[in-house]
Amino acid sequence: MNSVTAAVSARLVLCTAPDQACAQMLARTLVNEQWVACANLLPGMLSVYRWQGEVHEDAEVQLILKTDSQHLAGMQARLRELHPYQTPEILVLAVEDGDKEYLAWLSASLR
């Protein structure tokens, strides 16, 4: 896969978790099962959102998950199985470009 193809295939997925322990479990499982090459956990986030007609404010951990388009559907299904939220945040961002060596590593790290 050349760097242009790898970049077009690479995806960043944003997902929030209720706490550090849950975020680490999600990250470890998805990396161990090779659905994602890497997961970054950003603790200390405050989320303000509307849920079922009420405004909530909750501490959460933001996950940034790195995968590719070929593993995306399976990763999303597995994330939904593991996640404690009824409706987890799963936002997919396409990668337009990136370091060719990093993108090659990302692709090689997936099943």
Side-chain angles (χ1 to χ4, degrees):
M1 179 178 297
N2 66 37
S3 63
V4 173
T5 304
V8 171
S9 177
R11 300 290 184 265
L12 296 179
V13 179
L14 303 178
C15 180
T16 53
D19 55 43
Q20 187 72 19
C22 179
Q24 286 180 273
M25 178 276 296
L26 294 170
R28 284 191 183 120
T29 301
L30 295 172
V31 170
N32 283 334
E33 294 177 1
Q34 294 181 289
W35 290 112
V36 302
C38 176
N40 302 113
L41 285 61
L42 305 173
M45 183 174 78
L46 177 66
S47 294
V48 180
Y49 59 96
R50 183 174 301 280
W51 178 249
Q52 296 179 341
E54 296 181 20
V55 175
H56 297 261
E57 291 186 21
D58 292 308
E60 291 187 297
V61 176
Q62 181 72 60
L63 287 93
I64 302 171
L65 307 168
K66 287 104 176 211
T67 191
D68 66 14
S69 59
Q70 296 164 334
H71 295 86
L72 186 59
M75 186 278 301
Q76 288 176 304
R78 185 67 170 128
L79 185 54
R80 279 188 208 94
E81 287 174 8
L82 297 167
H83 209 288
Y85 290 170
Q86 179 182 347
T87 306
E89 172 191 77
I90 302 175
L91 298 175
V92 180
L93 307 172
V95 175
E96 291 184 25
D97 196 7
D99 179 79
K100 67 180 179 176
E101 291 179 18
Y102 181 86
L103 294 171
W105 166 81
L106 189 152
S107 294
S109 297
L110 303 170
R111 16 168 130 189

